[in-house]
Amino acid sequence: MKPRRIEILGVPTDCVDMSQAVARVETMIEGSRGEAVIAVNPEKVMKAQNDPFLLNQLRGAGLLIPDGIGVVLAARLLRLGRMSQVPGSELMPAICERAARKGYRIFLFGGSVEVNQRAGEVLRARYPGLQIVGQQHGYLKEEEMGELVQQINASGAEILFVALGSPKQELWMARYLPQLSIKVCQGVGGTFDVLSGRVKRAPALFRKMHLEWFYRLASQPRRLIRQTALPKFAWLILREKIVR
Ligand code: UDP
């Protein structure tokens, strides 16, 4: 069953929690065409306000996970629907766990050579029996993409994880998904870096308090420029709450 899809500031998001998201991925695997799993967070909601191409891509996605706590809170405040935060970095291992049990084949694309390699090793160790049928680092030249598409299609993978960061991975998915014979393609940002141990996730206390975004900001200040979307998002949500 498809989850209920709501719109926050005109941007679609699915009302799911982690187990519903995994269940939706499983139904997508049974489907007849490849569909995208895209993370929705305040930054992406703000970007989509002035980016009709991104908005269109989001509308066509098979699953839009509430990746950022800001999206969950906005949906609650505006009484649009109930959902739980489903971080893309947690959905990916949850899909791998299911894939190991069900025999779905996965392909890992993105990250540096070492990060990509190490992420594969970590996943194999963590989920015995997981079939990783292909891996490719994320620094290929544009002219090498045709070969990559062939490699992915020949691998027989049902699930493709793309870790190129945003918006690169969304643009890549929009361009190449129609040529791929996979069923599910999730954009996973820096998840391979976390799996490989190159980048640490926030300590449990920060995660529990939904302050992972703050921790990442403090430990990687280059993200500050990207995060200027947050106060704008909060202001637009409050304004919508007041005028309703
Ligand atoms: N990356 C890549 N190819 C590129 C640019 C980036 O494979 O051309 C990888 C990079 O090595 C890193 C990930 O994409 O593993 C970006 O992670 P980031 O944390 O910036 O993504 P976010 O989750 O913030 O979108």
Side-chain angles (χ1 to χ4, degrees):
M1 204 180 68
K2 275 196 183 177
R4 193 158 80 84
R5 187 163 281 189
I6 58 155
E7 289 199 351
I8 298 170
L9 303 176
V11 179
T13 307
D14 290 333
C15 291
V16 287
D17 58 20
M18 180 61 79
S19 67
Q20 290 163 332
V22 175
R24 171 75 185 130
V25 167
E26 284 208 86
T27 57
M28 285 159 66
I29 289 173
E30 303 303 325
S32 55
R33 64 189 180 96
E35 292 190 278
V37 176
I38 304 182
V40 182
N41 46 44
E43 193 189 333
K44 218 170 272 169
V45 170
M46 291 313 295
K47 187 154 193 293
Q49 304 297 307
N50 314 304
D51 187 340
F53 184 80
L54 174 63
L55 186 59
N56 199 38
Q57 184 184 19
L58 292 171
R59 293 213 163 116
L63 175 62
L64 295 169
I65 50 168
D67 169 71
I69 190 64
V71 165
V72 178
L73 294 177
R76 203 175 292 168
L77 192 72
L78 299 175
R79 298 183 189 283
L80 295 169
R82 289 194 70 80
M83 56 181 77
S84 304
Q85 188 182 12
V86 180
S89 60
E90 290 178 21
L91 178 62
M92 190 244 175
I95 295 173
C96 288
E97 191 265 338
R98 191 61 59 94
R101 278 200 278 133
K102 297 280 184 82
Y104 306 137
R105 288 157 294 193
I106 72 165
F107 195 110
L108 307 177
F109 169 47
S112 67
V113 174
E114 304 79 45
V115 161
N116 183 291
Q117 207 52 43
R118 183 81 192 113
E121 287 164 14
V122 169
L123 288 170
R124 279 195 188 92
R126 210 188 276 180
Y127 307 109
L130 179 65
Q131 295 186 58
I132 302 178
V133 292
Q135 289 180 244
Q136 184 56 260
H137 69 78
Y139 294 88
L140 296 178
K141 297 193 197 77
E142 197 49 49
E143 56 268 29
E144 293 173 301
M145 290 302 174
E147 207 174 306
L148 173 66
V149 166
Q150 282 181 15
Q151 192 188 337
I152 295 168
N153 288 342
S155 74
E158 286 98 358
I159 305 167
L160 171 66
F161 295 110
V162 181
L164 303 177
S166 288
K168 211 168 183 180
Q169 65 199 20
E170 283 80 23
L171 293 169
W172 189 92
M173 282 153 70
R175 174 135 190 225
Y176 293 103
L177 193 54
Q179 302 174 35
L180 293 168
S181 56
I182 50 108
K183 294 297 174 61
V184 175
C185 181
Q186 184 191 355
V188 295
T191 303
F192 294 177
D193 295 86
V194 175
L195 281 171
S196 70
R198 201 188 74 84
V199 172
K200 294 247 175 306
R201 274 198 80 182
L205 183 65
F206 281 79
R207 301 213 301 259
K208 218 166 150 186
M209 293 173 72
H210 298 294
L211 288 174
E212 182 154 23
W213 59 273
F214 177 73
Y215 178 86
R216 291 179 85 188
L217 203 59
S219 52
Q220 292 173 278
R222 70 178 168 87
R223 290 180 175 274
L224 194 60
I225 301 161
R226 290 170 42 166
Q227 294 292 0
T228 53
L230 264 179
K232 285 186 205 148
F233 175 81
W235 162 242
L236 288 181
I237 295 295
L238 280 178
R239 201 177 62 174
E240 181 135 341
K241 174 78 182 165
I242 293 163
V243 299
R244 264 172 177 229

